[in-house]
PDB file of all heavy atoms in Angstrom:
ATOM      1  N   ALA B  23       6.791   7.952   2.050  1.00 92.00           N
ATOM      2  CA  ALA B  23       6.012   8.067   3.285  1.00 92.00           C
ATOM      3  C   ALA B  23       4.986   6.945   3.440  1.00 92.00           C
ATOM      4  O   ALA B  23       4.622   6.593   4.555  1.00 92.00           O
ATOM      5  CB  ALA B  23       5.316   9.414   3.335  1.00 92.00           C
ATOM      6  N   LEU B 179       6.099   8.842   9.024  1.00 95.00           N
ATOM      7  CA  LEU B 179       6.015  10.308   9.038  1.00 95.00           C
ATOM      8  C   LEU B 179       6.987  10.928  10.049  1.00 95.00           C
ATOM      9  O   LEU B 179       6.576  11.630  10.988  1.00 95.00           O
ATOM     10  CB  LEU B 179       4.572  10.735   9.356  1.00 95.00           C
ATOM     11  CG  LEU B 179       3.473  10.136   8.469  1.00 95.00           C
ATOM     12  CD1 LEU B 179       2.090  10.456   9.007  1.00 95.00           C
ATOM     13  CD2 LEU B 179       3.604  10.634   7.026  1.00 95.00           C
ATOM     14  N   ALA B 181       9.227  13.387   9.772  1.00 94.00           N
ATOM     15  CA  ALA B 181       9.381  14.840   9.758  1.00 94.00           C
ATOM     16  C   ALA B 181       8.154  15.527  10.362  1.00 94.00           C
ATOM     17  O   ALA B 181       8.283  16.474  11.144  1.00 94.00           O
ATOM     18  CB  ALA B 181       9.620  15.327   8.337  1.00 94.00           C
ATOM     19  N   LEU B 182       6.972  15.028  10.027  1.00 94.00           N
ATOM     20  CA  LEU B 182       5.750  15.611  10.617  1.00 94.00           C
ATOM     21  C   LEU B 182       5.735  15.387  12.124  1.00 94.00           C
ATOM     22  O   LEU B 182       5.325  16.265  12.886  1.00 94.00           O
ATOM     23  CB  LEU B 182       4.501  14.996   9.979  1.00 94.00           C
ATOM     24  CG  LEU B 182       4.128  15.509   8.590  1.00 94.00           C
ATOM     25  CD1 LEU B 182       3.004  14.669   7.991  1.00 94.00           C
ATOM     26  CD2 LEU B 182       3.705  16.972   8.635  1.00 94.00           C
ATOM     27  N   ARG B 185       8.102  17.786  13.798  1.00 91.00           N
ATOM     28  CA  ARG B 185       7.569  19.160  13.814  1.00 91.00           C
ATOM     29  C   ARG B 185       6.265  19.250  14.592  1.00 91.00           C
ATOM     30  O   ARG B 185       5.609  20.281  14.594  1.00 91.00           O
ATOM     31  CB  ARG B 185       7.368  19.655  12.373  1.00 91.00           C
ATOM     32  CG  ARG B 185       8.697  19.890  11.659  1.00 91.00           C
ATOM     33  CD  ARG B 185       8.501  20.353  10.235  1.00 91.00           C
ATOM     34  NE  ARG B 185       7.628  21.510  10.117  1.00 91.00           N
ATOM     35  CZ  ARG B 185       7.948  22.755  10.440  1.00 91.00           C
ATOM     36  NH1 ARG B 185       9.145  23.002  10.905  1.00 91.00           N
ATOM     37  NH2 ARG B 185       7.089  23.744  10.295  1.00 91.00           N
ATOM     38  N   ALA B 187       3.347  18.068  14.055  1.00 92.00           N
ATOM     39  CA  ALA B 187       2.265  18.534  13.180  1.00 92.00           C
ATOM     40  C   ALA B 187       1.204  17.459  12.940  1.00 92.00           C
ATOM     41  O   ALA B 187       0.345  17.625  12.074  1.00 92.00           O
ATOM     42  CB  ALA B 187       2.858  18.969  11.836  1.00 92.00           C
ATOM     43  N   LEU B 188       1.289  16.367  13.691  1.00 92.00           N
ATOM     44  CA  LEU B 188       0.376  15.274  13.384  1.00 92.00           C
ATOM     45  C   LEU B 188      -1.004  15.415  14.026  1.00 92.00           C
ATOM     46  O   LEU B 188      -1.977  14.873  13.516  1.00 92.00           O
ATOM     47  CB  LEU B 188       1.005  13.939  13.785  1.00 92.00           C
ATOM     48  CG  LEU B 188       2.079  13.504  12.778  1.00 92.00           C
ATOM     49  CD1 LEU B 188       2.991  12.464  13.366  1.00 92.00           C
ATOM     50  CD2 LEU B 188       1.417  12.974  11.518  1.00 92.00           C
ATOM     51  N   GLY B 190      -2.911  18.081  14.238  1.00 92.00           N
ATOM     52  CA  GLY B 190      -3.783  18.827  13.324  1.00 92.00           C
ATOM     53  C   GLY B 190      -4.228  17.965  12.161  1.00 92.00           C
ATOM     54  O   GLY B 190      -5.400  17.972  11.783  1.00 92.00           O
ATOM     55  N   LEU B 191      -3.277  17.209  11.625  1.00 94.00           N
ATOM     56  CA  LEU B 191      -3.610  16.348  10.491  1.00 94.00           C
ATOM     57  C   LEU B 191      -4.629  15.283  10.905  1.00 94.00           C
ATOM     58  O   LEU B 191      -5.608  15.033  10.192  1.00 94.00           O
ATOM     59  CB  LEU B 191      -2.331  15.677   9.960  1.00 94.00           C
ATOM     60  CG  LEU B 191      -2.506  14.693   8.801  1.00 94.00           C
ATOM     61  CD1 LEU B 191      -3.111  15.388   7.576  1.00 94.00           C
ATOM     62  CD2 LEU B 191      -1.170  14.049   8.420  1.00 94.00           C
ATOM     63  N   ALA B 192      -4.415  14.699  12.081  1.00 94.00           N
ATOM     64  CA  ALA B 192      -5.338  13.665  12.575  1.00 94.00           C
ATOM     65  C   ALA B 192      -6.740  14.247  12.767  1.00 94.00           C
ATOM     66  O   ALA B 192      -7.740  13.592  12.456  1.00 94.00           O
ATOM     67  CB  ALA B 192      -4.820  13.071  13.875  1.00 94.00           C
ATOM     68  N   ASP B 194      -8.039  16.840  11.137  1.00 94.00           N
ATOM     69  CA  ASP B 194      -8.613  17.078   9.795  1.00 94.00           C
ATOM     70  C   ASP B 194      -9.151  15.775   9.212  1.00 94.00           C
ATOM     71  O   ASP B 194     -10.232  15.741   8.622  1.00 94.00           O
ATOM     72  CB  ASP B 194      -7.543  17.633   8.839  1.00 94.00           C
ATOM     73  CG  ASP B 194      -7.173  19.061   9.186  1.00 94.00           C
ATOM     74  OD1 ASP B 194      -7.892  19.666  10.013  1.00 94.00           O
ATOM     75  OD2 ASP B 194      -6.170  19.554   8.650  1.00 94.00           O
ATOM     76  N   LEU B 195      -8.384  14.715   9.381  1.00 95.00           N
ATOM     77  CA  LEU B 195      -8.792  13.425   8.814  1.00 95.00           C
ATOM     78  C   LEU B 195     -10.017  12.877   9.533  1.00 95.00           C
ATOM     79  O   LEU B 195     -10.896  12.272   8.911  1.00 95.00           O
ATOM     80  CB  LEU B 195      -7.638  12.424   8.879  1.00 95.00           C
ATOM     81  CG  LEU B 195      -6.428  12.754   7.995  1.00 95.00           C
ATOM     82  CD1 LEU B 195      -5.281  11.790   8.268  1.00 95.00           C
ATOM     83  CD2 LEU B 195      -6.812  12.691   6.520  1.00 95.00           C
ATOM     84  N   ALA B 280      -6.149  10.558   1.289  1.00 96.00           N
ATOM     85  CA  ALA B 280      -5.590  11.031   2.568  1.00 96.00           C
ATOM     86  C   ALA B 280      -4.130  10.599   2.715  1.00 96.00           C
ATOM     87  O   ALA B 280      -3.296  11.351   3.236  1.00 96.00           O
ATOM     88  CB  ALA B 280      -6.415  10.486   3.726  1.00 96.00           C
ATOM     89  N   ALA B 281      -3.803   9.389   2.245  1.00 96.00           N
ATOM     90  CA  ALA B 281      -2.419   8.915   2.321  1.00 96.00           C
ATOM     91  C   ALA B 281      -1.520   9.795   1.463  1.00 96.00           C
ATOM     92  O   ALA B 281      -0.411  10.151   1.872  1.00 96.00           O
ATOM     93  CB  ALA B 281      -2.338   7.456   1.872  1.00 96.00           C
ATOM     94  N   ARG B 282      -2.003  10.160   0.280  1.00 94.00           N
ATOM     95  CA  ARG B 282      -1.217  11.047  -0.603  1.00 94.00           C
ATOM     96  C   ARG B 282      -1.037  12.420   0.034  1.00 94.00           C
ATOM     97  O   ARG B 282       0.036  13.011  -0.012  1.00 94.00           O
ATOM     98  CB  ARG B 282      -1.910  11.202  -1.961  1.00 94.00           C
ATOM     99  CG  ARG B 282      -1.493  10.139  -2.970  1.00 94.00           C
ATOM    100  CD  ARG B 282      -2.028  10.446  -4.350  1.00 94.00           C
ATOM    101  NE  ARG B 282      -3.472  10.365  -4.406  1.00 94.00           N
ATOM    102  CZ  ARG B 282      -4.153   9.221  -4.495  1.00 94.00           C
ATOM    103  NH1 ARG B 282      -3.509   8.075  -4.547  1.00 94.00           N
ATOM    104  NH2 ARG B 282      -5.464   9.206  -4.535  1.00 94.00           N
ATOM    105  N   GLN B 283      -2.121  12.885   0.668  1.00 94.00           N
ATOM    106  CA  GLN B 283      -2.071  14.192   1.331  1.00 94.00           C
ATOM    107  C   GLN B 283      -1.022  14.167   2.454  1.00 94.00           C
ATOM    108  O   GLN B 283      -0.202  15.076   2.571  1.00 94.00           O
ATOM    109  CB  GLN B 283      -3.457  14.498   1.899  1.00 94.00           C
ATOM    110  CG  GLN B 283      -3.604  15.867   2.502  1.00 94.00           C
ATOM    111  CD  GLN B 283      -4.920  15.994   3.291  1.00 94.00           C
ATOM    112  OE1 GLN B 283      -5.747  15.075   3.312  1.00 94.00           O
ATOM    113  NE2 GLN B 283      -5.101  17.122   3.927  1.00 94.00           N
ATOM    114  N   ALA B 284      -1.038  13.102   3.262  1.00 96.00           N
ATOM    115  CA  ALA B 284      -0.078  12.984   4.366  1.00 96.00           C
ATOM    116  C   ALA B 284       1.343  12.891   3.824  1.00 96.00           C
ATOM    117  O   ALA B 284       2.273  13.500   4.376  1.00 96.00           O
ATOM    118  CB  ALA B 284      -0.407  11.748   5.208  1.00 96.00           C
ATOM    119  N   ALA B 285       1.514  12.150   2.711  1.00 95.00           N
ATOM    120  CA  ALA B 285       2.850  12.008   2.118  1.00 95.00           C
ATOM    121  C   ALA B 285       3.350  13.363   1.621  1.00 95.00           C
ATOM    122  O   ALA B 285       4.532  13.694   1.777  1.00 95.00           O
ATOM    123  CB  ALA B 285       2.800  10.999   0.980  1.00 95.00           C
ATOM    124  N   GLY B 286       2.449  14.155   1.042  1.00 94.00           N
ATOM    125  CA  GLY B 286       2.824  15.481   0.563  1.00 94.00           C
ATOM    126  C   GLY B 286       3.255  16.378   1.709  1.00 94.00           C
ATOM    127  O   GLY B 286       4.267  17.094   1.623  1.00 94.00           O
ATOM    128  N   LEU B 287       2.502  16.345   2.789  1.00 96.00           N
ATOM    129  CA  LEU B 287       2.838  17.163   3.961  1.00 96.00           C
ATOM    130  C   LEU B 287       4.164  16.707   4.566  1.00 96.00           C
ATOM    131  O   LEU B 287       4.966  17.525   5.024  1.00 96.00           O
ATOM    132  CB  LEU B 287       1.719  17.070   5.011  1.00 96.00           C
ATOM    133  CG  LEU B 287       0.400  17.735   4.626  1.00 96.00           C
ATOM    134  CD1 LEU B 287      -0.694  17.395   5.634  1.00 96.00           C
ATOM    135  CD2 LEU B 287       0.574  19.254   4.541  1.00 96.00           C
ATOM    136  N   GLU B 288       4.397  15.398   4.575  1.00 95.00           N
ATOM    137  CA  GLU B 288       5.649  14.862   5.102  1.00 95.00           C
ATOM    138  C   GLU B 288       6.834  15.369   4.259  1.00 95.00           C
ATOM    139  O   GLU B 288       7.872  15.764   4.800  1.00 95.00           O
ATOM    140  CB  GLU B 288       5.585  13.325   5.097  1.00 95.00           C
ATOM    141  CG  GLU B 288       6.881  12.606   5.373  1.00 95.00           C
ATOM    142  CD  GLU B 288       7.410  12.788   6.796  1.00 95.00           C
ATOM    143  OE1 GLU B 288       6.637  13.224   7.673  1.00 95.00           O
ATOM    144  OE2 GLU B 288       8.612  12.531   7.001  1.00 95.00           O
ATOM    145  N   GLU B 289       6.636  15.400   2.959  1.00 93.00           N
ATOM    146  CA  GLU B 289       7.679  15.890   2.047  1.00 93.00           C
ATOM    147  C   GLU B 289       8.021  17.345   2.380  1.00 93.00           C
ATOM    148  O   GLU B 289       9.197  17.713   2.480  1.00 93.00           O
ATOM    149  CB  GLU B 289       7.140  15.775   0.608  1.00 93.00           C
ATOM    150  CG  GLU B 289       8.161  15.975  -0.482  1.00 93.00           C
ATOM    151  CD  GLU B 289       9.159  14.830  -0.568  1.00 93.00           C
ATOM    152  OE1 GLU B 289       8.725  13.662  -0.482  1.00 93.00           O
ATOM    153  OE2 GLU B 289      10.365  15.097  -0.683  1.00 93.00           O
ATOM    154  N   GLN B 290       6.959  18.153   2.571  1.00 94.00           N
ATOM    155  CA  GLN B 290       7.192  19.565   2.910  1.00 94.00           C
ATOM    156  C   GLN B 290       7.916  19.677   4.243  1.00 94.00           C
ATOM    157  O   GLN B 290       8.858  20.471   4.397  1.00 94.00           O
ATOM    158  CB  GLN B 290       5.860  20.303   3.017  1.00 94.00           C
ATOM    159  CG  GLN B 290       5.185  20.542   1.680  1.00 94.00           C
ATOM    160  CD  GLN B 290       3.761  21.072   1.867  1.00 94.00           C
ATOM    161  OE1 GLN B 290       3.424  21.627   2.908  1.00 94.00           O
ATOM    162  NE2 GLN B 290       2.943  20.894   0.856  1.00 94.00           N
ATOM    163  N   ALA B 291       7.482  18.868   5.219  1.00 94.00           N
ATOM    164  CA  ALA B 291       8.087  18.931   6.549  1.00 94.00           C
ATOM    165  C   ALA B 291       9.557  18.496   6.494  1.00 94.00           C
ATOM    166  O   ALA B 291      10.403  19.040   7.211  1.00 94.00           O
ATOM    167  CB  ALA B 291       7.305  18.044   7.520  1.00 94.00           C
ATOM    168  N   ARG B 292       9.872  17.533   5.630  1.00 92.00           N
ATOM    169  CA  ARG B 292      11.264  17.088   5.482  1.00 92.00           C
ATOM    170  C   ARG B 292      12.130  18.228   4.953  1.00 92.00           C
ATOM    171  O   ARG B 292      13.253  18.430   5.395  1.00 92.00           O
ATOM    172  CB  ARG B 292      11.333  15.919   4.497  1.00 92.00           C
ATOM    173  CG  ARG B 292      11.033  14.598   5.132  1.00 92.00           C
ATOM    174  CD  ARG B 292      10.985  13.506   4.101  1.00 92.00           C
ATOM    175  NE  ARG B 292      10.443  12.298   4.717  1.00 92.00           N
ATOM    176  CZ  ARG B 292      10.105  11.209   4.061  1.00 92.00           C
ATOM    177  NH1 ARG B 292      10.215  11.159   2.762  1.00 92.00           N
ATOM    178  NH2 ARG B 292       9.640  10.168   4.697  1.00 92.00           N
ATOM    179  N   ASN B 293      11.578  18.964   4.002  1.00 91.00           N
ATOM    180  CA  ASN B 293      12.349  20.078   3.441  1.00 91.00           C
ATOM    181  C   ASN B 293      12.617  21.143   4.489  1.00 91.00           C
ATOM    182  O   ASN B 293      13.683  21.742   4.519  1.00 91.00           O
ATOM    183  CB  ASN B 293      11.614  20.670   2.237  1.00 91.00           C
ATOM    184  CG  ASN B 293      11.563  19.680   1.092  1.00 91.00           C
ATOM    185  OD1 ASN B 293      12.422  18.785   1.011  1.00 91.00           O
ATOM    186  ND2 ASN B 293      10.568  19.793   0.229  1.00 91.00           N
ATOM    187  N   VAL B 294      11.649  21.359   5.363  1.00 93.00           N
ATOM    188  CA  VAL B 294      11.856  22.334   6.445  1.00 93.00           C
ATOM    189  C   VAL B 294      12.916  21.806   7.409  1.00 93.00           C
ATOM    190  O   VAL B 294      13.824  22.539   7.821  1.00 93.00           O
ATOM    191  CB  VAL B 294      10.520  22.611   7.185  1.00 93.00           C
ATOM    192  CG1 VAL B 294      10.746  23.510   8.392  1.00 93.00           C
ATOM    193  CG2 VAL B 294       9.509  23.228   6.240  1.00 93.00           C
TER     194      VAL B 294
END
Side-chain angles (χ1 to χ4, degrees):
Chain B
L179 306 171
L182 283 171
R185 290 179 53 74
L188 284 162
L191 178 61
D194 289 349
L195 293 173
R282 271 189 294 281
Q283 185 191 356
L287 291 171
E288 169 67 16
E289 191 70 43
Q290 288 171 22
R292 277 175 191 171
N293 293 335
V294 174

